[in-house]
Amino acid sequence: MYPIKKALFVGLPLLVFCFLNTGRALAEIKKDMTFTLASADFNHQSEIPQLFTCDGDNISPELHWSGIPPLTKSLALIVDDTDAPDPAKPKLIWVHWLLYNIPPYNTELSRGITAGNLPVGTLQGKNDWKIIGYRGPCPPIGKHRYFFKLYALDIELPNLQSPNKTQLENVIAGHVIGQAALIATFKRH
């Protein structure tokens, strides 16, 4: 019985050491592969330029991302305003843009992208104007926040026939393996 106790005494610290070092190594890998979303057109938590709003050309900003989780099969993008209609008394979330089935090998959406030049396979949903495509910030009062949320999914979705945000969120529930966000603000002058 003594050799077994001795083996456990010697082996247990070695096992703990290996486990802790594996955890550290995985944490370093995870840190290097952080899923991020950014734009060349504005910084996180800064004002979105007028060009991308209803007071400008109402075109979509450039978006790019990195650190997509390894098992990603598709990406979905939801852009919404959580301060509608009045940031002092928000009553609803207003959706500006819905995209899904963005291929995982794709790492950007160019400025002013339209349905005709979306990445192959990418589909769109309806925004809260009940139309397909991007509609920029157009707050009736005050300074609003606009959330650009990119979801990494472990599935490719079927054609959902122009879903609204609730329908898209219901379908992706349980399939999100990563999320990146970018926030912009805008106040009409």
Side-chain angles (χ1 to χ4, degrees), residues 29-47:
I29 291 169
K30 186 175 180 182
K31 184 175 76 174
D32 292 341
M33 296 184 65
T34 303
F35 188 26
T36 59
L37 176 62
S39 177
D41 295 318
F42 62 92
N43 293 321
H44 180 62
Q45 296 190 350
S46 68
E47 185 162 313

Side-chain angles (χ1 to χ4, degrees), residues 23-146:
R24 285 187 197 119
L26 290 174
E28 285 300 312
I29 291 169
K30 186 175 180 182
K31 184 175 76 174
D32 292 341
M33 296 184 65
T34 303
F35 188 26
T36 59
L37 176 62
S39 177
D41 295 318
F42 62 92
N43 293 321
H44 180 62
Q45 296 190 350
S46 68
E47 185 162 313
I48 192 167
Q50 186 173 320
L51 175 67
F52 308 107
T53 74
C54 67
D55 291 334
D57 290 346
N58 214 9
I59 62 170
S60 63
E62 180 273 347
L63 298 172
H64 59 270
W65 50 89
S66 61
I68 296 170
L71 300 177
T72 302
K73 299 282 191 259
S74 70
L75 302 164
L77 177 72
I78 297 174
V79 180
D80 55 25
D81 169 2
T82 61
D83 297 321
D86 179 355
K89 296 179 184 175
K91 294 182 180 171
L92 56 94
I93 296 173
W94 192 261
V95 179
H96 288 260
W97 200 17
L98 295 174
L99 294 176
Y100 65 100
N101 279 352
I102 302 167
Y105 56 81
N106 196 75
T107 59
E108 69 178 1
L109 296 171
S110 60
R111 178 188 296 169
I113 199 162
T114 62
N117 56 8
L118 285 169
V120 175
T122 302
L123 299 170
Q124 298 193 75
K126 288 184 181 172
N127 57 38
D128 279 341
W129 285 272
K130 309 290 186 232
I131 62 169
I132 302 293
Y134 174 85
R135 288 290 297 264
C138 197
I141 186 172
K143 183 178 186 177
H144 289 229
R145 294 169 299 157
Y146 298 88

Side-chain angles (χ1 to χ4, degrees), residues 4-20:
I4 293 173
K5 285 183 183 178
K6 185 175 180 182
L8 286 174
F9 181 73
V10 172
L12 187 58
L14 182 60
L15 180 63
V16 170
F17 175 79
C18 290
F19 177 74
L20 290 176

Side-chain angles (χ1 to χ4, degrees), residues 71 151-157 167-179:
L71 300 177
Y151 300 92
L153 308 175
D154 64 2
I155 61 168
E156 186 174 330
L157 301 173
Q167 292 166 329
L168 181 59
E169 286 179 330
N170 287 340
V171 173
I172 70 173
H175 295 287
V176 176
I177 57 175
Q179 181 179 345

